Amino acid sequence: NTGRDERINSDEVDSRNVKDESVNSFVQVQFQGRRVQTRPSSGRSPIWKQTIDILLQQQPGKVSPRSLMGVLDSVEIILFDAVCGDMSTRGGFYNDEDTNVTEMRYLGHITVPFSTIYREGHLEGTFRLNVPETSFGYTRTKADDGDFITE
């Protein structure tokens, strides 16, 4: 789209639903086909003190408060764990080939209508994520059905 761009800011994202020091999580934000992510943060309660800017696609000359409230797109906030590993033991690699990989493990997401963020001016707080029933490589703790620990 070649329209005018506006910025969406998302200040602090706090994920207290991850419970192990080996978790190295990051947040990915998707909106109108664009995707940006935070730097990874380690630990059981990471805080990403980052502002994420995503450009809003609007037609030139069509930007007004009323048109912005009418944007039907949603902002998707996805939490991942970045797991690093060495694939050299699997074989099939050249001697000088880099066998280190980083796997993005999905932990959960939340979807927020753009109109909510526009009306409030920002998105801040602690939110319950939609999480899969089974997360391979993680187990839920008995104390809180939203927490994970790595195996």
Side-chain angles (χ1 to χ4, degrees):
N1 195 346
T2 59
R4 181 177 164 189
D5 294 325
E6 298 292 328
R7 293 190 180 274
I8 300 171
N9 292 321
S10 172
D11 288 331
E12 252 180 22
V13 181
D14 184 353
S15 170
R16 291 189 169 92
N17 75 325
V18 179
K19 266 200 148 184
D20 187 85
E21 294 303 321
S22 65
V23 175
N24 192 32
S25 53
F26 65 94
V27 173
Q28 185 179 87
V29 179
Q30 296 179 14
F31 180 67
Q32 292 185 328
R34 296 180 183 184
R35 182 180 311 169
V36 295
Q37 67 188 44
T38 64
R39 293 179 299 275
S41 181
S42 298
R44 84 180 262 182
S45 296
I47 295 176
W48 300 269
K49 292 189 178 186
Q50 288 180 249
T51 296
I52 293 179
D53 295 327
I54 298 181
L55 300 176
L56 171 65
Q57 299 176 27
Q58 284 285 312
Q59 296 296 326
K62 303 274 185 181
V63 178
S64 69
R66 185 175 185 169
S67 71
L68 291 173
M69 281 301 295
V71 173
L72 299 177
D73 299 306
S74 291
V75 177
E76 187 161 10
I77 302 168
I78 309 164
L79 180 65
F80 288 98
D81 182 15
V83 179
C84 298
D86 185 357
M87 303 294 285
S88 63
T89 59
R90 294 190 177 187
F93 296 98
Y94 294 107
N95 290 339
D96 62 345
E97 189 173 357
D98 183 12
T99 58
N100 294 314
V101 296
T102 301
E103 179 182 335
M104 292 172 40
R105 291 187 181 171
Y106 171 80
L107 297 177
H109 78 279
I110 186 171
T111 302
V112 181
F114 169 78
S115 58
T116 300
I117 298 170
Y118 177 71
R119 184 176 53 249
E120 297 300 320
H122 66 283
L123 182 62
E124 183 178 339
T126 302
F127 304 92
R128 182 170 289 276
L129 296 175
N130 299 308
V131 297
E133 286 292 320
T134 304
S135 292
F136 295 105
Y138 303 88
T139 56
R140 287 186 197 269
T141 61
K142 303 268 190 245
D144 181 66
D145 64 345
D147 287 357
F148 286 100
I149 59 172
T150 58
E151 290 184 324

